[in-house]
């Protein structure tokens, strides 16, 4: 099993995070965009640093507010994505996390979202990059993995798949059992996060109270067994 950890889960500089991740025995990192923005080196330099520590960059995240948008906004997002793809090639990273839309401008039409995800995946394919679509627990229209899967299935593109996150499912008290019905080759990435049981805004809960698996009260074991 290839295991990665998100840089946003660690404290310190990006170099310190990479050193700690390598020392702990992980195989790769999920690169949080803010960590790269504040990194003093180049994309090529970061790629070398990661490789020198025996790691690889498995995921670049997050890309926000893409699907279900008015045409003009969507076109701007495609242009934004092209810059990300070029950067990811320099980084040696082949998967981009696209989280479900939170914008009030977005619509809940699955067909529109699927068509726009398809077009993004077409662009990504030119760079040999995959798009992983993830349902945010606070998404405007897509909060549950079943809704994300509906749009991915409608788009039906080989470079488009799902990213599943235990927190986003279990924080909504959603049952992960139906994950077993999703074709395995369409699950591009699995993220595991725990948390204490709290009654609060789910966005604030996610950003300030998540734990590593086994440190909280969510049933991460049950979730992972469905995947």
């Amino acid at each position: 099993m290839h295991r990665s950890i998100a840089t946003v889960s660690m404290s310190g500089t990006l170099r310190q995070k990479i050193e700690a991740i390598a020392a702990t025995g992980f195989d790769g990192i999920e690169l949080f965009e803010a960590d790269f923005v504040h990194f003093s080196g180049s994309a090529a330099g970061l790629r070398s640093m990661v490789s020198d520590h025996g790691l690889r960059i498995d995921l670049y995240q997050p890309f926000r507010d893409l699907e279900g948008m008015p045409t003009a906004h969507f076109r701007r997002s495609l242009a934004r994505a092209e810059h990300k793809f070029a950067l990811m090639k320099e980084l040696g990273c082949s998967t981009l996390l696209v989280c479900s839309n939170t914008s009030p401008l977005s619509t809940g039409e699955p067909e529109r979202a699927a068509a726009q995800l398809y077009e993004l995946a077409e662009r990504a394919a030119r760079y040999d990059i995959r798009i992983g679509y993830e349902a945010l627990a606070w998404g405007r229209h897509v909060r549950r993995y079943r809704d994300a899967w509906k749009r991915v299935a409608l788009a039906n593109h080989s470079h488009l798949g799902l990213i599943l996150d235990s927190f986003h499912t279990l924080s909504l008290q959603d049952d992960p059992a139906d994950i077993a019905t999703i074709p395995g080759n369409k699950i591009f990435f699995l993220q595991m996060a725990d948390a204490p049981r709290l009654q609060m805004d789910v966005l604030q809960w996610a950003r300030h109270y998540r734990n590593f698996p086994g440190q909280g009260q969510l049933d991460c074991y049950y979730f992972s067994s469905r995947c």
Side-chain angles (χ1 to χ4, degrees):
M1 179 185 295
H2 185 89
R3 298 178 306 144
S4 301
I5 187 169
T7 57
V8 72
S9 300
M10 312 289 289
S11 61
T13 66
L14 186 52
R15 179 182 290 276
Q16 290 169 334
K17 293 180 183 192
I18 290 168
E19 291 171 350
I21 289 168
T24 310
F26 283 92
D27 305 300
I29 68 170
E30 299 174 42
L31 180 58
F32 191 65
E33 185 168 58
D35 280 315
F36 179 69
V37 168
H38 293 99
F39 177 62
S40 59
S42 65
L46 178 56
R47 180 177 183 171
S48 294
M49 183 196 304
V50 170
S51 178
D52 289 346
H53 283 81
L55 303 168
R56 73 184 192 197
I57 303 174
D58 293 318
L59 189 70
Y60 190 83
Q61 63 137 324
F63 192 88
R64 303 184 189 277
D65 295 338
L66 173 98
E67 84 290 359
M69 293 294 274
T71 300
H73 291 77
F74 174 63
R75 293 294 161 197
R76 286 197 289 271
S77 287
L78 283 181
R80 185 163 50 98
E82 291 279 355
H83 291 291
K84 306 296 184 192
F85 297 153
L87 171 62
M88 289 171 65
K89 293 304 287 186
E90 291 186 68
L91 290 168
C93 177
S94 61
T95 305
L96 175 68
L97 184 153
V98 175
C99 50
S100 61
N101 209 321
T102 63
S103 170
L105 297 175
S106 65
T107 74
E109 303 166 18
E111 293 78 13
R112 184 177 185 84
Q116 293 182 344
L117 286 167
Y118 182 94
E119 190 165 352
L120 179 68
E122 276 285 279
R123 299 284 187 100
R126 299 173 193 168
Y127 295 82
D128 196 25
I129 285 173
R130 303 190 307 171
I131 301 299
Y133 181 53
E134 178 182 67
L136 287 181
W138 54 91
R140 188 164 185 86
H141 303 289
V142 176
R143 301 181 185 91
R144 301 177 188 272
Y145 69 87
R146 295 175 194 83
D147 296 323
W149 170 236
K150 180 177 182 178
R151 286 151 177 79
V152 168
L154 278 172
N156 191 27
H157 195 290
S158 60
H159 281 252
L160 176 66
L162 280 183
I163 291 180
L164 299 172
D165 184 315
S166 61
F167 178 85
H168 292 307
T169 296
L170 299 175
S171 65
L172 298 179
Q173 300 184 40
D174 193 11
D175 189 344
D178 287 343
I179 291 173
T181 67
I182 299 171
N185 67 332
K186 299 304 290 184
I187 299 175
F188 285 179
F189 214 88
L190 174 64
Q191 297 173 318
M192 299 297 298
D194 210 339
R197 285 283 181 192
L198 299 170
Q199 296 297 319
M200 63 182 300
D201 174 73
V202 69
L203 174 58
Q204 298 305 314
W205 186 14
R207 290 188 174 170
H208 302 295
Y209 293 95
R210 285 206 231 190
N211 305 131
F212 292 117
Q215 294 182 334
Q217 296 171 296
L218 303 182
D219 196 346
C220 293
Y221 176 79
Y222 176 65
F223 178 89
S224 64
S225 71
R226 304 299 97 186
C227 299

